[in-house]
Amino acid sequence: MRDLHLPLNQTQRVRLEAALHELQSLAPAAASAASVTVADNIPVNQEDNILKGHGTSDHDGEVVATLCGVVERVNKLVYVRTLRARYKPEVGDIIVGRVIEIAPKRWRLEINFSQDAVLMLSSMNLPDGIQRRRTAVDELNMRSIFEENDVVCAEVRGFQHDGSLHLQARSQKYGKLQRGQLLTVPAYLVKRRKQHFHHLEQYDVDLILGCNGFVWVGQHVLVRENTESKEDKQKLSDEVDTFTPIETRKHICRLANAVRVLSALGFTLTIELIIQTAEASLSSNVEINDMLGAEFYVQTAEREARRRADLLRKKNGAR
Amino acid sequence: MVGLSEGEKHFIRGGIAQDLRADGRTRLQFRPVIVETGVIPQANGSARVRLGATEVIASVKAELGKPTVLHPDKGKVSIYVDCSPTAAPIFEGRGSEDLSAELSVALQRCLLGGKSGAGAAIDLSSLIVLEGKACWDLYVDGLVVSSDGNLVDALAAAIKVALSDTGIPKVNVSLNAETDGEPEVDVSDEEFLQFDTSSVPVIVTLTKVGKHYIVDATSEEESQMSSALSVSVNRRGQICGLTKRGGTGLDPTIIFDMISVAKHVSQRFISLLDSEIAAAEVVADE
């Protein structure tokens, strides 16, 4: 497995290989049939004239893949969806990004897309919460809303005709993220779901799984109608009293390490799996730091293999 | 390196103050160390060391040379570090020169000892082949492949491992009158001599953030540092070198405090490295 450098001892290596092998054997056969590497033939019915999409090419009358990934078919269109590529936004996605530039009436955000995303001043709620025209004064005060390097959560609004990406943040749940850590995982590990914001009440932690593979783990903040940004600034300056409580911080670190382990093993990140992994580390008395050690990786892989096997058995039993 | 927002910086500083850093480590814990030996077949000795996302490679090459007039009984060692553009875009072109020079100087100071050769990691007189005529020149090169903080410690560890992996060819010297006293050196390519690397020190960098100091800082944590002190300590707990980075000054009492902490941490780090080296050698032999 790529990117996985672990100081495994002999038994751990055998156990990890066994677990990964089992995971592979559990995967449905259709999934492995649809995955292609470069120069693989893509079987198509030549009679219905198909459209060759991204990542495909014509070679001696056969359709071959020019990328590694999964073959997707939409009506006549056949294309290859690449794994480990940059994030490909879709309208309505919830993303986490980092402000890199403030331009007239807009912020530019880095979101792991091939271009920078644009968040217009007019497509976000002002701190005072009143709907009105944006004035020149608002434009001058843009830095009081987001500064450079701020981590921001927003929604994909749509593409302009020139291909650039526009975002919007028209709700209280969107906006600046503070007091926590940002993790980057490959974008394909986060699947589009109904819910991307998760308030884990038992831990007092907010977890945001951005569709672009940016994951935010931070202290829970109350959504207020009027955010008192000025007061926040003041609080940051007299530091020591305002540090995240140690209990919450432990939970943040534990969840963040769970995300790190799962993404390194290449498991799709779902909120249930993250919580399960964190809880498993708690119940087996693994220190937060030791979650990144070899033993916990092996345990996590084994647990996931068991879980998927159970799931498959239940499915077959129900049938 | 990506910038951090005010909220994230605050979170990092808070974590260090509360002794629980972003990845769950305490202030004096290292990230997992992964060691590989023999990664460059052309070199006499080489090693790759990974500390979290930091990855460095060190190689040792030995060449026959002439000792200097001032020290006819000693060999020569030079240390040079390069930063690969794969580690960060800013290292492209001449961008890495400053950092490379800084790292090279820090390592030279910590590993080569004083002018007299006292406190050096490698006993220079063991490199001599024939006094005044021939000696081994050791070229120690470090390469930063990927950078996530704490480069000095990783490089020093890689050099230590590479030296323990190094085999110097055995030489037979024959003096004959025909060549005017110039020695004839016959380098064996089968027999190799191992170094005594037990006295090679490790470097422990203590990064000061706020009122506290931490070991093995990630690059996010380094962005919050006021200053950093690199202490090189050998197996017997002796200080072999000291370098300070960062703009802010340090109080002498704090420096002494940091040194004693570094001594304590280094002993754990040395024994950890020793076991990793032993494990890596077993893998290399297989």
Side-chain angles (χ1 to χ4, degrees):
Chain A
M1 186 173 281
R2 219 179 76 168
D3 295 343
L4 194 59
H5 304 294
L6 287 172
L8 294 165
N9 60 32
Q10 201 59 43
T11 44
Q12 282 170 340
R13 185 170 304 127
V14 171
R15 281 167 59 204
L16 185 63
E17 267 164 21
L20 292 177
H21 185 78
E22 193 182 344
L23 281 171
Q24 204 142 38
S25 65
L26 286 174
S32 56
S35 60
V36 288
T37 58
V38 175
D40 272 2
N41 254 325
I42 300 174
V44 286
N45 195 353
Q46 294 291 351
E47 265 120 64
D48 34 285
N49 40 14
I50 52 121
L51 290 167
K52 290 188 294 294
H54 183 236
T56 61
S57 181
D58 199 6
H59 188 259
D60 295 340
E62 304 253 21
V63 182
V64 290
T66 57
L67 292 168
C68 299
V70 180
V71 178
E72 298 273 347
R73 289 158 205 264
V74 182
N75 296 333
K76 280 181 179 177
L77 178 70
V78 176
Y79 68 95
V80 178
R81 182 167 55 86
T82 50
L83 299 176
R84 290 192 182 275
R86 279 184 178 264
Y87 163 64
K88 213 163 138 257
E90 282 173 28
V91 175
D93 278 358
I94 286 161
I95 54 106
V96 178
R98 196 186 283 279
V99 178
I100 50 166
E101 191 191 348
I102 298 179
K105 288 189 206 156
R106 70 200 69 201
W107 291 273
R108 261 185 242 290
L109 270 72
E110 148 66 26
I111 59 160
N112 192 30
F113 179 41
S114 50
Q115 330 175 17
D116 297 329
V118 170
L119 176 62
M120 298 289 289
L121 177 61
S122 57
S123 50
M124 78 161 291
N125 271 12
L126 290 179
D128 55 11
I130 307 165
Q131 286 292 337
R132 59 178 167 82
R133 255 183 89 93
R134 307 312 194 251
T135 60
V137 181
D138 288 328
E139 210 178 309
L140 290 174
N141 288 333
M142 274 172 70
R143 266 206 183 75
S144 68
I145 304 176
F146 300 137
E147 280 181 323
E148 281 94 346
N149 292 330
D150 274 350
V151 180
V152 172
C153 177
E155 187 186 310
V156 175
R157 179 172 162 222
F159 295 89
Q160 294 308 93
H161 44 258
D162 62 347
S164 69
L165 184 71
H166 274 230
L167 304 174
Q168 60 179 359
R170 280 195 197 281
S171 152
Q172 289 294 340
K173 62 181 179 176
Y174 300 126
K176 182 141 75 174
L177 301 170
Q178 301 193 78
R179 286 147 204 268
Q181 45 180 325
L182 180 73
L183 307 166
T184 30
V185 300
Y188 72 94
L189 292 179
V190 182
K191 293 274 177 282
R192 290 179 181 93
R193 291 214 150 188
K194 271 196 185 132
Q195 197 54 258
H196 284 269
F197 292 90
H198 302 282
H199 172 207
L200 311 176
E201 275 165 39
Q202 68 269 43
Y203 305 130
D204 193 29
V205 167
D206 275 338
L207 186 82
I208 302 172
L209 295 165
C211 287
N212 56 342
F214 287 19
V215 177
W216 178 262
V217 195
Q219 192 184 348
H220 177 60
V221 279
L222 289 169
V223 177
R224 287 165 297 182
E225 276 308 307
N226 296 317
T227 37
E228 300 122 52
S229 60
K230 211 163 237 169
E231 201 186 55
D232 272 354
K233 272 255 162 71
Q234 214 172 19
K235 271 186 197 158
L236 281 181
S237 56
D238 48 286
E239 280 201 341
V240 184
D241 324 328
T242 63
F243 283 150
T244 310
I246 184 83
E247 274 310 308
T248 314
R249 187 179 290 275
K250 275 184 186 160
H251 290 310
I252 292 176
C253 292
R254 207 172 270 282
L255 288 165
N257 276 358
V259 172
R260 287 189 182 108
V261 170
L262 292 172
S263 72
L265 287 167
F267 297 148
T268 307
L269 295 175
T270 59
I271 188 70
E272 296 83 20
L273 191 56
I274 296 170
I275 294 177
Q276 215 176 55
T277 310
E279 284 294 330
S281 78
L282 257 178
S283 59
S284 53
N285 276 328
V286 178
E287 291 285 321
I288 302 173
N289 180 37
D290 292 337
M291 288 175 75
L292 300 177
E295 179 60 28
F296 192 70
Y297 273 92
V298 177
Q299 281 176 12
T300 308
E302 284 175 342
R303 197 176 324 108
E304 178 69 7
R306 257 200 316 276
R307 192 184 69 90
R308 288 193 195 173
D310 283 349
L311 216 65
L312 204 69
R313 211 169 302 134
K314 262 182 212 153
K315 229 190 211 167
N316 291 345
R319 223 176 265 163
Chain B
M1 203 208 112
V2 195
L4 291 173
S5 73
E6 215 33 69
E8 286 169 285
K9 289 176 186 168
H10 180 260
F11 185 81
I12 288 173
R13 287 196 296 266
I16 290 166
Q18 291 172 340
D19 205 8
L20 183 70
R21 290 148 75 181
D23 50 2
R25 285 183 290 156
T26 60
R27 284 194 286 263
L28 298 181
Q29 257 177 338
F30 273 88
R31 288 172 282 183
V33 184
I34 300 169
V35 168
E36 254 177 273
T37 56
V39 290
I40 303 172
Q42 296 95 325
N44 292 68
S46 58
R48 187 208 308 272
V49 166
R50 286 200 185 88
L51 261 177
T54 296
E55 182 179 345
V56 296
I57 294 176
S59 81
V60 180
K61 279 196 184 186
E63 260 176 39
L64 274 177
K66 251 189 149 137
T68 55
V69 186
L70 280 175
H71 299 289
D73 58 340
K74 287 193 172 114
K76 288 172 288 193
V77 178
S78 60
I79 299 179
Y80 185 73
V81 178
D82 198 14
C83 297
S84 161
T86 56
I90 53 156
F91 292 157
E92 211 157 328
R94 302 168 74 87
S96 68
E97 272 177 9
D98 285 348
L99 184 64
S100 300
E102 190 182 325
L103 290 171
S104 305
V105 169
L107 287 170
Q108 280 160 12
R109 257 185 221 153
C110 289
L111 298 178
L112 295 186
K115 275 222 171 65
S116 59
I122 309 146
D123 184 11
L124 293 181
S125 44
S126 71
L127 294 175
I128 204 76
V129 177
L130 192 68
E131 192 169 323
K133 300 283 187 207
C135 70
W136 286 109
D137 292 346
L138 286 192
Y139 295 97
V140 180
D141 290 294
L143 178 71
V144 177
V145 181
S146 116
S147 157
D148 188 22
N150 203 22
L151 293 174
V152 180
D153 294 19
L155 282 165
I159 290 173
K160 185 178 164 74
V161 180
L163 282 172
S164 75
D165 180 51
T166 301
I168 299 282
K170 202 175 178 187
V171 286
N172 295 314
V173 187
S174 49
L175 277 173
N176 48 5
E178 289 170 31
T179 52
D180 301 328
E182 280 300 309
E184 205 169 90
V185 184
D186 179 29
V187 179
S188 153
D189 46 7
E190 276 153 21
E191 283 178 277
F192 290 97
L193 296 171
Q194 288 280 319
F195 264 121
D196 175 29
T197 51
S198 59
S199 63
V200 179
V202 292
I203 299 180
V204 174
T205 304
L206 290 169
T207 311
K208 192 158 181 283
V209 180
K211 286 186 189 131
H212 305 274
Y213 31 83
I214 51 171
V215 299
D216 196 16
T218 62
S219 50
E220 277 98 20
E221 286 162 339
E222 276 183 358
S223 72
Q224 296 306 301
M225 77 174 189
S226 55
S227 53
L229 190 75
S230 300
V231 188
S232 103
V233 188
N234 70 10
R235 194 179 301 273
R236 277 170 291 176
Q238 291 161 326
I239 311 290
C240 303
L242 202 68
T243 43
K244 182 189 154 292
R245 291 185 300 136
T248 327
L250 278 175
D251 196 74
T253 53
I254 292 176
I255 292 185
F256 283 118
D257 199 24
M258 283 169 119
I259 288 174
S260 68
V261 171
K263 261 189 193 171
H264 178 69
V265 174
S266 68
Q267 297 311 311
R268 263 189 303 159
F269 191 47
I270 287 177
S271 52
L272 178 74
L273 264 185
D274 280 344
S275 59
E276 287 292 331
I277 291 170
E281 273 167 1
V282 169
V283 172
D285 286 345
E286 270 167 13

